[in-house]
Amino acid sequence: MAFLWAFPILTRRVIGRLWTGGGLHRGVRALMSPLVVWLLCSMVLWFWHLPGPYGWALAMKGSHDRAPLLFITALMFGPGDRAVWPASF
């Protein structure tokens, strides 16, 4: 987590305490499980193709351009370096 070096030392210590003692790492790990990632991606994709949000996105030029960012953001919570496929695949 190289971005933490951008913060002052006291802020980094607070973030470190929250990460380890506050259980923040468990929440992030849960968000990055393959099932949760798949559900989030599916829900975002499904939501934007409902008639209401889809029509709104087409009517508002800026929102239609930003919709793919939600898909990319949902994919960023992917399993990371953990293998999704069996090792024999």
Side-chain angles (χ1 to χ4, degrees):
M1 300 213 284
F3 72 91
L4 289 177
W5 288 106
F7 295 107
I9 186 69
L10 294 176
T11 306
R12 288 195 310 255
R13 287 181 181 159
V14 169
I15 293 171
R17 281 189 214 108
L18 287 173
W19 184 259
T20 56
L24 191 58
H25 68 287
R26 280 186 239 117
V28 170
R29 184 176 295 174
L31 274 178
M32 292 175 61
S33 73
L35 179 62
V36 173
V37 171
W38 179 79
L39 287 171
L40 287 174
C41 289
S42 297
M43 289 183 339
V44 167
L45 185 64
W46 180 76
F47 171 78
W48 278 109
H49 288 89
L50 289 172
Y54 187 77
W56 175 73
L58 289 176
M60 307 289 278
K61 178 68 174 140
S63 67
H64 188 252
D65 294 340
R66 286 187 298 261
L69 291 175
L70 285 174
F71 305 135
I72 294 168
T73 304
L75 287 173
M76 285 173 50
F77 285 99
D81 60 350
R82 290 181 278 160
V84 177
W85 299 103
S88 62
F89 185 71

